[in-house]
Amino acid sequence: MGFSSKSKAARKTSAWFQRHSKDPHVKQAQKEGKRSRAAFKLTEILEQSQLDIKRGSVVVDLGCAPGSWSVELAKKVGPEGLVIGIDLLELSPITGVTLIKGDFDSPAGQAALEQALGGRKIDAVVSDMAPEMSGNKLVDQMRMIGLNEMTLHFARQHLRPGGDILMKTFMGEGYDAFRREMGISFKRIKNIKPAASRKTSPEFFILGLDFKADK
């Protein structure tokens, strides 16, 4: 009777690595020296002008590790703008980005953010955060919606009137209710599936435009 010398997890990891190493966006990211392939998701959205970030804008990148989005945002806003990246993980410095190590939902994180802003108003909040995947679709979906709710709560506290929000989400249980909740605070809602997102991935991005600060 034959058997495999590798565990199921090891075989799955190996299969993932094979897909990952052959991914054209991964190869392009390595060639261009980007921190991750996730950069192409954001650049595609920005190039299509679905998210209006321009020179001088103030942008907060929640859960910013490994920093690929913050790098692209800093290029977009230029030296007149301000990009603040917040994550629980320690990151190596990024030119043109103010990094905060901490929980954006904690009092300490909020205080560090206010100090970094120096009185400036936030034009956009972005997030490529996703939960640690358990393999249980319902559990992972609920964790994703939980992160979305935290991100929306943060935006409602800090965005200027007319500001925008962009965040990763998954289609599934709780999504429709969350989208309706976003509609209370933003005049327009769009779903975006960038080409750089793997077709097999449940992820897509939800964009809220023109924040209604009085709600």
Side-chain angles (χ1 to χ4, degrees):
M1 167 172 148
F3 64 94
S4 171
S5 61
K6 291 184 178 181
S7 68
K8 183 177 179 181
R11 293 197 302 274
K12 184 176 179 181
T13 300
S14 178
W16 175 88
F17 180 78
Q18 291 296 324
R19 291 195 302 272
H20 183 74
S21 62
K22 293 176 182 178
D23 188 305
H25 288 100
V26 171
K27 291 180 178 179
Q28 188 178 352
Q30 292 169 342
K31 183 178 179 181
E32 297 182 16
K34 296 185 184 299
R35 294 189 176 211
S36 81
R37 70 189 301 283
F40 298 114
K41 301 172 189 177
L42 180 64
T43 54
E44 182 182 336
I45 293 168
L46 293 175
E47 285 166 4
Q48 293 175 357
S49 300
Q50 295 177 90
L51 177 61
D52 187 23
I53 293 177
K54 49 199 166 194
R55 294 189 75 80
S57 290
V58 177
V59 186
V60 175
D61 184 5
L62 299 179
C64 64
S68 56
W69 275 31
S70 290
V71 170
E72 301 305 320
L73 290 166
K75 294 177 189 175
K76 193 77 175 175
V77 306
E80 315 97 298
L82 176 63
V83 176
I84 300 171
I86 307 175
D87 202 286
L88 291 170
L89 300 175
E90 192 79 48
L91 274 78
S92 55
I94 302 172
T95 302
V97 178
T98 299
L99 294 173
I100 297 172
K101 183 179 182 296
D103 180 353
F104 68 84
D105 203 37
S106 70
Q110 298 275 339
L113 172 68
E114 293 301 328
Q115 183 176 4
L117 285 169
R120 298 179 72 172
K121 300 297 183 182
I122 298 174
D123 298 299
V125 171
V126 302
S127 170
D128 191 34
M129 286 189 295
E132 283 286 336
M133 304 301 279
S134 69
N136 182 309
K137 289 185 178 181
L138 183 57
V139 169
D140 294 338
Q141 177 68 21
M142 291 298 95
R143 288 175 177 172
M144 184 77 255
I145 295 298
L147 287 175
N148 292 155
E149 289 171 344
M150 289 173 63
T151 303
L152 177 59
H153 177 69
F154 177 92
R156 284 171 166 166
Q157 288 181 298
H158 298 287
L159 267 182
R160 67 164 175 79
D164 302 326
I165 186 172
L166 175 73
M167 72 182 92
K168 179 187 289 183
T169 190
F170 298 158
M171 183 64 72
E173 187 74 25
Y175 168 73
D176 289 339
F178 177 71
R179 184 184 171 103
R180 289 193 295 271
E181 183 66 24
M182 275 192 68
I184 296 172
S185 296
F186 293 87
K187 292 182 180 178
R188 289 176 290 150
I189 310 292
K190 293 183 178 181
N191 288 0
I192 306 168
K193 178 78 170 180
S197 288
R198 293 186 176 96
K199 292 180 181 179
T200 55
S201 171
E203 75 171 26
F204 64 99
F205 293 86
I206 185 166
L207 175 63
L209 299 168
D210 203 354
F211 178 53
K212 299 180 282 188
D214 57 329
K215 299 292 183 181

